[in-house]
Amino acid sequence: MDSVDFSVFTTALKWARQKQPLWLMTVVETFGSSPRPVGAMLVLRADGLMVGSVSGGCIEDDLADKARLGQLPQHRAEVLTYGVTTEEARRFGLPCGGVLKLLVEPMRDDRWLQQVQSLVAEHRLVSRTLELDSLNVVVSDAAPDSRLTLSATHLTTIHGPRWRMLIIGAGQTSVYLAQMAQALDYEVIVCDPREEFRQTWSVPGTHIIGDMPDDAILTQQVDSRTAVIALTHDPKLDDMALLEALKSPAFYVGALGSHRTNQQRRERLALFDLAPEEIERLHGPVGLSIGSRTPPEIAVAIVAHLVSIRNHPQFNAASFQPAELKQHA
């Protein structure tokens, strides 16, 4: 579950225990330009207090007004549509032609919130199916390719780590990268066979393993929703990971280091059983070219590149300029 979902659910559970009248708002459909994606959520209290976002602006103000005036549904979930007319789009600050559909769900039971949070804490991907008339909720495991669906009778939403990141090396840059990745809906696994690095790793919610990097690629069953980032600065460890990762379905494989270091790395990889097109998959230096120097700046460059590729999967390595030479050899 990404950081936004987590804050919405945590606040909803807190307010529910205080016996506050609550509504959960979920973006279920968009047309044209929309400021927030399908699945975006907020929790709203009867006094207009809210956490989360469905539009980033005026729609939230309108929802707060409706809550204070008692104009939100009380006994069943209903769909609200914003931006149908030009006047509404202008009033609510939607981009030209933008239409947003929200499911407004009165919250009567907090048990499903506890269930979802408990399962997500175990790094499981879960679905939550709401019956619109009765407000009954069923929580179950979800498949990695599951998506939000809305029918005339039910809404199903997906929560938990949809993406995974396998970081090779438990150094300082990895700490910042792991924290940022968690906020972007990644389950983070950190592999470092060096005991002294594992002992000082302290990022809550991540897995730390001591496997050799090539073994970790295999045992973690790297798939098309996994990014592999090699950050040890030790060619022996990084190259071991890359030899397996570049043959895997991983959607992103990157390695720290300068252009010169990565050119030498590519020459070494060519001596093994990697095809030229597999070596071309390597993002090295890793990340976007933003002049990054410090560990947190390098982490920003990496996650920015991942966001670009996730949002525009048609782009390839040649579409972006990698991070600068400041990723020291």
Side-chain angles (χ1 to χ4, degrees):
M1 183 187 308
D2 68 22
S3 58
V4 178
D5 283 2
F6 184 81
S7 63
V8 168
F9 281 5
T10 299
T11 302
L13 187 56
K14 175 183 174 182
W15 286 348
R17 288 171 174 170
Q18 295 171 351
K19 307 303 180 184
Q20 298 274 2
L22 302 176
W23 292 266
L24 184 66
M25 313 288 180
T26 305
V27 177
V28 294
E29 196 170 350
T30 63
F31 299 91
S33 299
S34 176
R36 294 286 283 134
V38 169
M41 299 186 303
L42 69 78
V43 60
L44 174 64
R45 233 163 58 172
D47 60 2
L49 201 62
M50 69 184 74
V51 170
S53 173
V54 293
S55 78
C58 295
I59 287 178
E60 281 83 351
D61 292 340
D62 187 65
L63 292 171
D65 289 341
K66 283 181 164 59
R68 287 188 287 262
L69 295 171
Q71 296 176 349
L72 294 176
Q74 301 292 325
H75 305 295
R76 69 179 306 274
E78 297 179 4
V79 173
L80 281 180
T81 303
Y82 287 92
V84 170
T85 66
T86 302
E87 180 183 351
E88 270 195 328
R90 188 180 304 112
R91 175 187 171 197
F92 294 117
L94 292 172
C96 183
V99 178
L100 192 66
K101 285 190 177 182
L102 303 177
L103 188 85
V104 182
E105 171 190 344
M107 296 186 64
R108 296 287 181 242
D109 186 355
D110 65 7
R111 287 175 295 182
W112 68 264
L113 281 166
Q114 299 175 61
Q115 262 187 295
V116 169
Q117 288 195 313
S118 175
L119 292 170
V120 169
E122 298 173 6
H123 304 281
R124 290 166 63 180
L125 187 66
V126 299
S127 69
R128 180 186 79 96
T129 299
L130 168 74
E131 188 175 18
L132 305 188
D133 285 333
S134 69
L135 300 178
N136 289 333
V137 172
V138 174
V139 175
S140 59
D141 287 311
D145 58 351
S146 299
R147 295 288 185 272
L148 180 148
T149 58
L150 175 67
S151 70
T153 58
H154 292 84
L155 169 72
T156 297
T157 55
I158 310 300
H159 309 279
R162 298 169 179 271
W163 300 83
R164 291 192 303 159
M165 179 181 291
L166 176 56
I167 302 174
I168 309 301
Q172 190 178 28
T173 301
S174 300
V175 170
Y176 291 103
L177 178 59
Q179 293 169 337
M180 294 178 193
Q182 286 178 313
L184 290 171
D185 202 17
Y186 285 87
E187 176 188 5
V188 177
I189 305 104
V190 179
C191 169
D192 202 319
R194 302 168 297 183
E195 185 177 356
E196 64 273 20
F197 282 84
R198 295 199 308 276
Q199 287 181 348
T200 58
W201 182 259
S202 60
V203 180
T206 60
H207 300 288
I208 180 78
I209 59 176
D211 299 6
M212 294 304 290
D214 51 346
D215 292 335
I217 302 297
L218 300 175
T219 59
Q220 293 300 316
Q221 299 180 328
V222 167
D223 58 20
S224 61
R225 302 179 73 81
T226 305
V228 178
I229 316 291
L231 299 179
T232 71
H233 273 311
D234 183 335
K236 296 188 298 294
L237 296 177
D238 286 344
D239 288 4
M240 289 173 67
L242 298 174
L243 283 169
E244 294 297 337
L246 292 170
K247 293 185 288 187
S248 78
F251 81 93
Y252 187 97
V253 180
L256 195 65
S258 67
H259 289 283
R260 178 174 58 83
T261 295
N262 275 285
Q263 180 55 39
Q264 293 170 346
R265 174 178 285 122
R266 289 182 173 88
E267 292 169 2
R268 290 195 303 272
L269 294 173
L271 300 176
F272 294 87
D273 61 339
L274 287 175
E277 57 270 22
E278 291 173 328
I279 296 174
E280 287 176 7
R281 296 183 59 218
L282 175 63
H283 297 283
V286 67
L288 293 181
S289 178
I290 60 173
S292 53
R293 290 184 171 88
T294 66
E297 289 175 348
I298 293 171
V300 168
I302 294 170
V303 297
H305 200 178
L306 293 175
V307 168
S308 296
I309 289 177
R310 277 176 49 175
N311 289 342
H312 304 285
Q314 71 274 21
F315 292 170
N316 56 33
S319 303
F320 297 94
Q321 293 299 314
E324 290 291 351
L325 301 177
K326 299 300 182 179
Q327 298 176 23
H328 305 292

